[in-house]
């Protein structure tokens, strides 16, 4: 099928035409639209039409318009956000591969042909370059599609590329990559990557973490100082529990697997509570405002990896660990002589307002209400007024709904 510029859509996949791209001081994205005004306008209209068709669930037609919109590299970020939601994961991955190819050419055009080499000025910190967001978002979206049932091999390749180019991992690709390696049965590599990210020693030399595939895992339990660091300072529940899975698959019920399972359950008890009570796996990540080490992180980890924890041998191993069971049990919040613990996870009812208080009976809830009322109200107000995330577990956004008529009116007023 031909697109609005007269070429076949495959031309945009395999041949990236940079002849009309403009530059300023070697950086194509510093000068506004990188293509001429008409191309920029038509590509943006294609993108907006694609979003409308996407929300109308006409996915094949919307994908065609997104392909046309890739004539302008400025659209890559938005297309990556939308493509991750396509129900056909093969078509989503195909669209993202097109975007990746164009994004890569875009960076080479602006930064030089060697910008992906080890000795390039921005190697390891590419996320600090203004024009890199589209390429990096595309890599993240490819990993997300792989988690949701797409091509795992392509997802691993995309995540690995992102971690190589952005060694501080501002987009959370390590969560994706360790999970995808486990899904691919590459347990030793998954464990080694988790070890690199869990050991604070490598914070001073993040480049060493890019060598995770070159060295075998140590298979030794973490030092007490590392364990205490993660209990107090970090929310590394994904790496801890993925390390537990990898160690269990490699060595069975070993000391390292038990250590990571217990520390991960202590860092965020809600993960194992919901897994061991067989809660349904979330269909998508959590995008709203969040606090570290709370239910939102538990939601995202279960979206990533719950299917592997539900395998019979893994689930029974976690269920039979007495320390894990003690960690995930809740105690009645009523502090007037009631210290009853749950006999099974999620036995107690939670406060429907703040969702931070738990009661063994209606009598305890009613008796505690006078003391709890003010705290409950303050907690609810805090969650209602948050409009900026504390941080993001993953760096993708929901596809926005747009008004094509309003956009067209705006374009008509622009002067090119």
């Amino acid at each position: 099928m031909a697109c609005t510029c007269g070429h076949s859509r495959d031309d945009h996949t395999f041949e990236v035409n940079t002849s009309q791209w403009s530059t300023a001081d070697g950086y194509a994205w510093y000068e506004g639209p990188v293509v001429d005004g008409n191309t920029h306008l038509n590509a943006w209209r294609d993108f907006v039409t694609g979003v409308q068709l996407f929300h109308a669930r006409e996915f094949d037609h919307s994908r065609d318009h997104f392909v046309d919109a890739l004539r302008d590299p400025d659209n890559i970020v938005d297309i990556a956000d939308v493509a991750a939601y396509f129900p056909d994961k093969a078509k989503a991955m195909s669209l993202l591969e097109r975007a990746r190819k164009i994004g890569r050419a875009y960076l080479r055009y602006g930064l030089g042909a060697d910008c992906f080499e080890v000795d390039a000025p921005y190697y390891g910190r590419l996320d600090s370059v203004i024009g890199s967001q589209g390429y990096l978002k595309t890599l993240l979206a490819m990993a997300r599609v792989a988690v949701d049932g797409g091509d795992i091999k392509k997802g691993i390749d995309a995540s690995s590329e992102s971690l190589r180019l952005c060694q501080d991992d501002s987009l959370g690709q390590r969560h994706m990559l360790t999970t995808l390696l486990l899904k691919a049965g590459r347990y030793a590599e998954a464990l080694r990557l988790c070890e690199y990210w869990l050991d604070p020693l490598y914070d001073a030399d993040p480049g060493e973490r890019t060598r995770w595939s070159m060295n075998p895992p140590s298979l030794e339990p973490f030092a007490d100082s590392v364990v205490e660091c993660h209990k107090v300072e970090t929310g590394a529940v994904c790496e801890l529990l993925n390390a537990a899975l990898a160690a269990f698959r490699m060595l069975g019920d070993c000391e390292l697997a038990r250590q990571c399972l217990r520390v991960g359950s202590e860092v965020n008890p809600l993960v194992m509570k919901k897994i061991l009570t067989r809660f349904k796996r979330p269909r998508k990540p959590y995008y709203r405002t969040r606090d570290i080490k709370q239910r939102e992180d538990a939601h995202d980890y279960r979206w990533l990896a719950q299917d592997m924890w539900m395998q019979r041998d893994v689930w029974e191993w976690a269920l039979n660990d007495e320390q894990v069971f003690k960690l995930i049990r809740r105690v009645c919040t009523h502090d007037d002589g009631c210290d009853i613990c749950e006999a099974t996870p999620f036995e107690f009812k939670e406060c429907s307002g703040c969702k931070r208080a738990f009661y063994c009976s209606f009598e305890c809830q009613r008796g505690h209400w006078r003391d709890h009322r003010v705290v409950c109200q303050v907690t609810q107000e805090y969650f209602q007024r948050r409009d900026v995330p504390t941080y993001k577990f993953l760096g993708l956004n929901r596809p926005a709904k747009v008004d094509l008529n309003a956009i067209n009116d705006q374009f008509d007023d622009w002067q090119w």
Side-chain angles (χ1 to χ4, degrees), residues 98-128:
R98 294 170 185 255
R100 180 182 182 181
K101 189 178 185 70
I102 292 174
R104 195 174 181 88
Y106 181 43
L107 287 173
R108 281 179 167 163
Y109 185 75
L111 293 174
D114 62 344
C115 66
F116 294 98
E117 303 301 326
V118 176
D119 56 352
Y122 290 100
Y123 181 83
R125 53 190 185 92
L126 191 65
D127 51 343
S128 66

Side-chain angles (χ1 to χ4, degrees), residues 196-212:
Y196 270 131
W197 278 96
L198 288 170
D199 193 338
L201 175 66
Y202 297 109
D203 289 345
D205 184 17
E208 182 66 23
R209 289 175 171 150
T210 64
R211 302 180 181 89
W212 56 270

Side-chain angles (χ1 to χ4, degrees), residues 12 60 128 147-148 183 202 217 238 240 253 315 351 364 377 388 398:
H12 296 310
D60 287 342
S128 66
V147 170
D148 271 341
K183 290 178 180 288
Y202 297 109
C238 183
L240 286 164
D253 184 22
W315 187 84
C351 173
C364 277
Q377 183 177 355
V388 178
R398 287 178 172 177

Side-chain angles (χ1 to χ4, degrees), residues 176-188:
M176 296 280 203
L177 183 53
T178 54
T179 303
L180 290 172
L181 289 170
L182 287 170
K183 290 178 180 288
R186 295 163 62 174
Y187 304 121

Side-chain angles (χ1 to χ4, degrees), residues 85-236:
Y85 286 90
F86 271 80
D88 188 327
K89 301 307 175 184
K91 290 183 178 180
M93 192 68 81
S94 173
L95 175 60
L96 289 168
E97 285 184 302
R98 294 170 185 255
R100 180 182 182 181
K101 189 178 185 70
I102 292 174
R104 195 174 181 88
Y106 181 43
L107 287 173
R108 281 179 167 163
Y109 185 75
L111 293 174
D114 62 344
C115 66
F116 294 98
E117 303 301 326
V118 176
D119 56 352
Y122 290 100
Y123 181 83
R125 53 190 185 92
L126 191 65
D127 51 343
S128 66
V129 178
I130 295 175
S132 66
Q133 289 87 346
Y135 183 69
L136 297 177
K137 278 290 187 75
T138 300
L139 297 178
L140 182 63
M142 291 177 72
R144 189 224 153 131
V145 169
V147 170
D148 271 341
D151 191 317
I152 291 180
K153 184 177 180 181
K154 291 178 180 178
I156 291 174
D157 175 66
S159 285
S160 302
E161 172 81 349
S162 181
L163 284 179
R164 184 177 69 86
L165 297 174
C166 308
Q167 294 171 2
D168 64 350
D169 191 24
S170 59
L171 292 177
Q173 280 279 21
R174 62 189 181 279
H175 309 314
M176 296 280 203
L177 183 53
T178 54
T179 303
L180 290 172
L181 289 170
L182 287 170
K183 290 178 180 288
R186 295 163 62 174
Y187 304 121
E189 292 173 278
L191 180 56
R192 187 53 178 157
L193 182 58
C194 290
E195 289 176 343
Y196 270 131
W197 278 96
L198 288 170
D199 193 338
L201 175 66
Y202 297 109
D203 289 345
D205 184 17
E208 182 66 23
R209 289 175 171 150
T210 64
R211 302 180 181 89
W212 56 270
S213 61
M214 304 177 187
N215 302 308
S218 69
L219 303 179
E220 296 294 330
F222 290 101
D224 292 342
S225 59
V226 175
V227 171
E228 292 304 317
C229 170
H230 289 292
K231 286 182 180 179
V232 176
E233 298 179 6
T234 73

